Amino acid sequence: MELQPVPVRCRIPELLKKKGKNQQWLADRTGMSKQRISDIVHLRMNNISIQRALLIAYYLNCKVEDLFEWEWR
């Protein structure tokens, strides 16, 4: 069995808090729905495209790998 990185915790809420912003602000900036942002935050999406992750990281002024805590499984 090959190990793969799996997101175990989303850091978007704490990154938003540091900026004094909320999920609606992020949804407005990225053009994603608030529901999609919520699904990402609560790890309800199996995969997030690299384009979406990069867009979120851009607006949160962080690296894409900072959006989640990862575990190898």
Side-chain angles (χ1 to χ4, degrees):
M1 187 171 97
E2 191 175 324
L3 289 176
Q4 294 185 359
V6 176
V8 293
R9 186 174 80 84
C10 182
R11 296 187 62 232
I12 292 172
E14 67 193 68
L15 295 165
L16 282 168
K17 188 175 181 179
K18 282 171 67 173
K19 289 184 75 69
K21 305 295 184 184
N22 60 25
Q23 288 183 27
Q24 184 63 60
W25 174 87
L26 187 58
D28 292 343
R29 293 303 175 283
T30 61
M32 294 181 220
S33 69
K34 188 175 179 211
Q35 182 62 54
R36 180 164 307 269
I37 298 293
S38 178
D39 288 345
I40 293 168
V41 165
H42 292 97
L43 303 177
R44 289 190 291 253
M45 293 186 69
N46 288 340
N47 292 314
I48 175 175
S49 72
I50 190 66
Q51 290 88 352
R52 283 196 173 116
L54 286 167
L55 189 59
I56 291 169
Y58 172 80
Y59 283 106
L60 294 178
N61 196 29
C62 69
K63 296 178 184 173
V64 72
E65 57 267 25
D66 295 336
L67 296 177
F68 298 94
E69 284 184 15
W70 299 88
E71 196 173 274
W72 288 88
R73 294 185 184 166

